[in-house]
Amino acid sequence: MNDTSGRRDFLKLGMAGLATAGVLATVDAQKAAAQAASDSLLRTVLDRGKLIVGTGSTNAPWHFENDAGELVGMDITMARILAKGLFDDPTKVEFVMQDPAQRIPNVTTNKVDITIQFMTMSAQRSQLINFSRPYYVEGVALLTLPTAENKTFDKLLAAGSATRVSILQNVDAEASVHIALPQSQVMQIDTQANVLQALEAKRVDAAAVDLSTVRWLASRNPDKYFDAGKSWFSMLYGAALRQGDLDWLTFVNQTFTIAMFGHETALYDAAFKDYFGQEPPARHPGFPVI
């Protein structure tokens, strides 16, 4: 066999493989359900015909109502990604509004199939539920005013003890700010809204809030807010699932991975750009970086 005919046969095999993959992708939900363990939630959800997700409705950019009254946000997109993976239809999901305190109980008592509600992964919580693979890396970041002289991190740092920073009151608040700005004055405030109000009133030079909040506000209101360009203290956001169900956990993890790093990234990419004002990093075939 010469090189030309060898390459031709190889290409034929490759196209056949792609065609086979397309056929396999159309396997209906009932056949897929039959492969799951009889007591797996994967089989239950497929038989039911919809996914039930616990989440919230008041925290942009994660879960909130838009001007049309529709529930949107990054958490909502992750739920729709799962519904698409289950039924090839991102609308086949029912959302259960819950208080953050109910994120774990509603999973363990079977009220919801999964909780997707900007939930920080921790070893303590992992004793109660399983976490999916992370779908976002949260952090602390600095929000400033676009008209301020010291609006960038470098200038805030150079100003030393003259820099004033507002942050939501908690036991680690001052130490958290001093990781990035060791000489700054820290103003602990009772609510997140008041943390931002202190910045807007120019009582502080920067507000230390979640990175996602900084990106959301700075991208939506560039004339009002500025991303100072510093983030730290990484925290992983993952979905919460009941323990003891490997089929369900594996399905969720694989679906998230495909949506973030594989060949079906459209939903994730559009949401990431819309809610955080940024393009996701380019994925390159070859060595896996997932």
Side-chain angles (χ1 to χ4, degrees), residues 49-290:
K50 68 177 179 180
L51 175 69
I52 301 175
V53 177
T55 192
S57 62
T58 58
N59 293 281
W62 294 101
H63 40 262
F64 63 103
E65 292 185 355
N66 62 16
D67 293 338
E70 301 165 327
L71 190 62
V72 295
M74 197 68 200
D75 285 336
I76 307 308
T77 296
M78 298 311 296
R80 297 201 183 282
I81 285 170
L82 279 182
K84 188 177 188 304
L86 287 160
F87 311 109
D88 198 27
D89 186 344
T91 68
K92 288 190 174 183
V93 52
E94 175 186 331
F95 292 103
V96 174
M97 297 302 103
Q98 58 188 21
D99 184 89
Q102 295 301 311
R103 290 179 295 187
I104 289 177
N106 282 353
V107 166
T108 57
T109 60
N110 301 322
K111 184 173 182 180
V112 299
D113 301 324
I114 189 170
T115 283
I116 310 178
Q117 194 173 355
F118 67 177
M119 191 170 179
T120 303
M121 301 170 68
S122 71
Q124 291 74 28
R125 286 173 171 171
S126 294
Q127 296 175 31
L128 304 173
I129 46 90
N130 281 333
F131 275 108
S132 72
R133 63 152 299 131
Y135 59 89
Y136 187 78
V137 182
E138 188 61 278
V140 181
L142 296 170
L143 193 68
T144 57
L145 301 177
T147 57
E149 180 178 353
N150 293 347
K151 66 179 181 180
T152 66
F153 171 71
D154 288 343
K155 289 191 174 182
L156 292 169
L157 182 63
S161 60
T163 294
R164 301 159 300 167
V165 181
S166 60
I167 189 172
L168 187 65
Q169 184 176 13
N170 65 75
V171 293
D172 300 317
E174 187 162 348
S176 177
V177 173
H178 284 162
I179 291 173
L181 297 168
Q183 298 180 51
S184 63
Q185 303 176 50
V186 180
M187 181 184 297
Q188 298 192 43
I189 300 180
D190 58 347
T191 68
Q192 192 78 294
N194 286 336
V195 169
L196 297 177
Q197 197 281 329
L199 174 65
E200 294 166 5
K202 300 182 180 180
R203 292 190 289 121
V204 296
D205 304 292
V209 295
D210 289 341
L211 173 63
S212 58
T213 300
V214 169
R215 289 179 172 172
W216 165 257
L217 292 176
S219 64
R220 292 300 176 101
N221 305 280
D223 58 333
K224 188 176 180 180
Y225 299 111
F226 184 80
D227 181 350
K230 175 67 175 178
S231 60
W232 69 100
F233 199 64
S234 297
M235 296 166 282
L236 305 179
Y237 282 174
L241 304 84
R242 287 191 295 281
Q243 293 180 336
D245 191 340
L246 182 59
D247 285 343
W248 182 229
L249 176 63
T250 300
F251 172 80
V252 172
N253 282 340
Q254 291 177 345
T255 303
F256 281 4
T257 298
I258 292 166
M260 295 167 65
F261 301 101
H263 63 289
E264 297 181 354
T265 60
L267 286 176
Y268 187 91
D269 287 4
F272 197 89
K273 183 175 181 179
D274 190 18
Y275 301 126
F276 307 130
Q278 294 187 323
E279 296 284 352
R283 295 85 163 182
H284 300 286
F287 188 82
V289 288
I290 59 175

Side-chain angles (χ1 to χ4, degrees), residues 1-14:
M1 180 183 294
N2 60 37
D3 289 344
T4 301
S5 62
R7 284 195 297 271
R8 188 181 298 116
D9 290 342
F10 176 79
L11 290 173
K12 287 180 179 178
L13 287 172

